[in-house]
Amino acid sequence: LKVCETNEKELVLEPAVRWAGNPNIVLTLKLLSFRITVQLVDLQIFMAPRITLKPLVPTFPCFATVAVSLLGKPDVDFGMSILGGDIMAIPGLYQFVQKTIKRQVASLYIWPQALEIPILDPATVAVKKPVGILHVKVVRAQKLLKKDILGTSDPYVKLNLSGERLPSKKTTIKKRNLNPEWNEKFKLIVKDPGSQVLQLQVFDWDKVGNHDRLGMQFVPLKILTPYETKEFKLDLLKHTDNYDPQDKKQRGKIVVELMYAPFRADSGKLDGTQDGYSRKESGFDRTSDSEVFGGAGLLSVLIQGAEDVEGERHNNPYAVVFFRGETKRTKMIKRARDPFWNEEFHYMLEEPPLNEKIHIEVMSKRTGFSFRSKEHLGNVDINLTDVVHNGRINQKYHLIDSKNGVIHVAIKWVTA
């Protein structure tokens, strides 16, 4: 067992796991009208996992999440017995099963990809806030593998940051091209530049079936200098194990330009507000729209809680946020008139949301089956112009269509 020290509030363990046994596992396979009984025998597993307990908190069990990933491809050995004979003795079948298992497991859990298991409610622990924007320009790829029958490929690139559950960004598909030019730009939200890694995967698009992965690469954000654009020309790998002696096939290269821009410390100024609460509309010497700092930024919407919300048939409130065609919702709190959600949503925008509104609804949902399972508890529209000029607002709003209900919302606009 190896314990790694980091600068983060986390505990990293790297055990070496070896297990061998003769488990009594019986599978029944049904094919049309035939039933085949298969017994799994002589199971042996060797793997090198990385177990991260993070973040460390003062609440039992002292960590909020368990993240499990593998430092290399696992070795799994077993036999499969049918009618007293080991079908793994069939020539070629054993190697095929071994390669399939390793490939599938490696694509899901090889570091820095991880299986994250939440232990504590995120509302009870400190969640990492966005600290900057990663600007990514996918320039081109060269000498990609030929996957199609006609000796070409239809490549596209997927990119995402480790530790995020957001959908991956994707480039366009370049049909029948082994040396595609994209020159496409993306912006990703960064929460921890010291530990996060940019993952780049090149796929061959197929009209039918799964898309074949042509290669992949990783770039740790800690090697980037803030506000400095750097070009990377990377050799594509089959998987994350750079030292696999059997992987000698040339998979081509990918060229990307990266620039990490931390949020400015003064971009969230309050301009006359106190205790984080927004100012009144009257009597304020507003900065003209032309003087507001433009460009890309991050809009953060924190739905803290509500008070005195009550439905006619049930009271299991949750909040729904509508903005620019996107719909996001909080968790549901059962049997509560004063729910506390403390959930934050982020929107990456190309320009400040001047003269725009964000719509928030409080709903209730019956936990059991019912034809009238949902009930509207109130709504509010919030003008975002104040957020752009003030940097942030933190206020309680009376809910429309609610007798006494209010909702507590904090919204912030930050630029890099």
Side-chain angles (χ1 to χ4, degrees):
L1 178 66
K2 176 183 177 183
V3 179
C4 305
E5 294 185 4
T6 71
N7 294 325
E8 303 298 323
K9 294 181 179 180
E10 62 185 14
L11 179 63
V12 180
L13 309 174
E14 294 182 355
V17 179
R18 296 177 183 269
W19 186 88
N22 191 15
N24 185 22
I25 301 175
V26 178
L27 308 175
T28 300
L29 308 180
K30 185 176 181 181
L31 181 62
L32 299 178
S33 60
F34 297 98
R35 298 172 66 91
I36 304 175
T37 301
V38 180
Q39 183 180 13
L40 190 67
V41 297
D42 298 329
L43 178 63
Q44 300 181 44
I45 300 174
F46 167 67
M47 63 178 65
R50 169 176 288 181
I51 303 172
T52 304
L53 311 179
K54 63 177 183 179
L56 301 181
V57 295
T59 305
F60 183 82
C62 301
F63 53 89
T65 305
V66 178
V68 183
S69 57
L70 299 178
L71 298 177
K73 292 185 294 185
D75 288 321
V76 181
D77 189 10
F78 59 90
M80 295 180 68
S81 178
I82 296 181
L83 303 176
D86 189 353
I87 64 172
M88 285 299 162
I90 299 175
L93 180 60
Y94 177 77
Q95 288 80 3
F96 172 76
V97 172
Q98 284 284 313
K99 289 181 179 179
T100 301
I101 292 175
K102 290 183 178 182
R103 183 173 64 251
Q104 294 299 325
V105 173
S107 65
L108 294 174
Y109 301 119
I110 294 296
W111 189 89
Q113 299 179 95
L115 171 65
E116 292 197 358
I117 306 169
I119 303 299
L120 296 178
D121 189 331
T124 64
V125 298
V127 180
K128 287 186 177 180
K129 304 291 184 179
V131 296
I133 300 174
L134 178 66
H135 296 260
V136 181
K137 181 179 180 181
V138 181
V139 182
R140 70 180 69 89
Q142 300 170 339
K143 299 180 180 179
L144 297 177
L145 292 180
K146 303 174 183 178
K147 285 292 185 178
D148 294 343
I149 299 176
L150 300 178
T152 183
S153 291
D154 304 322
Y156 69 93
V157 182
K158 287 176 61 176
L159 53 154
N160 64 282
L161 286 175
S162 60
E164 286 289 349
R165 297 183 179 181
L166 299 174
S168 299
K169 305 282 188 179
K170 296 180 182 180
T171 67
T172 56
I173 301 167
K174 299 297 183 181
K175 294 292 188 69
R176 297 179 294 277
N177 197 332
L178 299 180
N179 298 282
E181 291 269 354
W182 284 289
N183 290 311
E184 297 180 19
K185 297 180 180 180
F186 303 90
K187 295 181 179 69
L188 303 176
I189 299 172
V190 178
K191 294 183 178 179
D192 187 358
S195 65
Q196 284 188 293
V197 176
L198 173 66
Q199 176 177 271
L200 300 160
Q201 299 183 86
V202 183
F203 285 89
D204 170 43
W205 178 85
D206 287 318
K207 191 173 183 179
V208 180
N210 295 329
H211 301 174
D212 296 320
R213 189 167 67 189
L214 303 177
M216 63 190 306
Q217 257 295 0
F218 298 94
V219 180
L221 301 193
K222 62 183 179 182
I223 68 175
L224 300 177
T225 302
Y227 303 112
E228 181 180 305
T229 301
K230 188 174 182 181
E231 182 180 273
F232 293 86
K233 191 172 184 179
L234 307 169
D235 291 319
L236 291 172
L237 307 174
K238 182 178 181 181
H239 43 68
T240 56
D241 188 356
N242 297 332
Y243 306 102
D244 186 354
Q246 298 179 352
D247 185 19
K248 297 181 180 180
K249 181 185 293 186
Q250 296 296 321
R251 299 178 172 272
K253 299 178 181 292
I254 186 171
V255 179
V256 294
E257 294 178 2
L258 307 180
M259 192 272 284
Y260 168 59
F263 292 133
R264 302 202 318 267
D266 61 345
S267 65
K269 61 185 179 181
L270 298 179
D271 286 352
T273 61
Q274 294 181 354
D275 298 327
Y277 279 75
S278 62
R279 57 157 180 84
K280 294 182 179 180
E281 188 67 27
S282 60
F284 184 80
D285 186 13
R286 176 192 296 275
T287 305
S288 65
D289 288 351
S290 61
E291 295 174 345
V292 176
F293 181 80
L298 183 73
L299 184 71
S300 301
V301 181
L302 174 62
I303 310 296
Q304 294 189 342
E307 300 173 10
D308 294 324
V309 291
E310 189 170 4
E312 295 181 1
R313 298 178 297 277
H314 43 79
N315 231 57
N316 305 310
Y318 62 95
V320 186
V321 181
F322 301 89
F323 181 64
R324 289 193 176 183
E326 289 190 61
T327 302
K328 300 182 180 182
R329 56 167 289 177
T330 67
K331 60 180 176 293
M332 181 178 66
I333 307 296
K334 296 181 179 179
R335 295 180 294 279
R337 295 184 69 241
D338 303 313
F340 179 72
W341 295 296
N342 195 36
E343 293 191 40
E344 191 169 21
F345 306 107
H346 304 291
Y347 302 88
M348 182 68 68
L349 307 179
E350 295 295 334
E351 67 277 331
L354 286 166
N355 303 317
E356 293 190 61
K357 293 183 179 181
I358 193 165
H359 182 74
I360 302 173
E361 294 185 4
V362 179
M363 305 288 295
S364 177
K365 184 177 182 180
R366 189 185 298 275
T367 55
F369 175 79
S370 173
F371 289 106
R372 302 180 66 183
S373 62
K374 292 183 180 180
E375 188 174 341
H376 182 79
L377 305 184
N379 65 87
V380 66
D381 288 305
I382 302 175
N383 195 321
L384 297 179
T385 301
D386 285 350
V387 180
V388 176
H389 288 283
N390 294 355
R392 69 181 71 191
I393 60 173
N394 187 341
Q395 189 168 321
K396 292 182 179 179
Y397 297 88
H398 287 285
L399 291 168
I400 301 173
D401 298 331
S402 176
K403 184 177 181 180
N404 299 309
V406 297
I407 187 169
H408 189 182
V409 182
I411 307 178
K412 183 168 63 173
W413 168 253
V414 291
T415 56

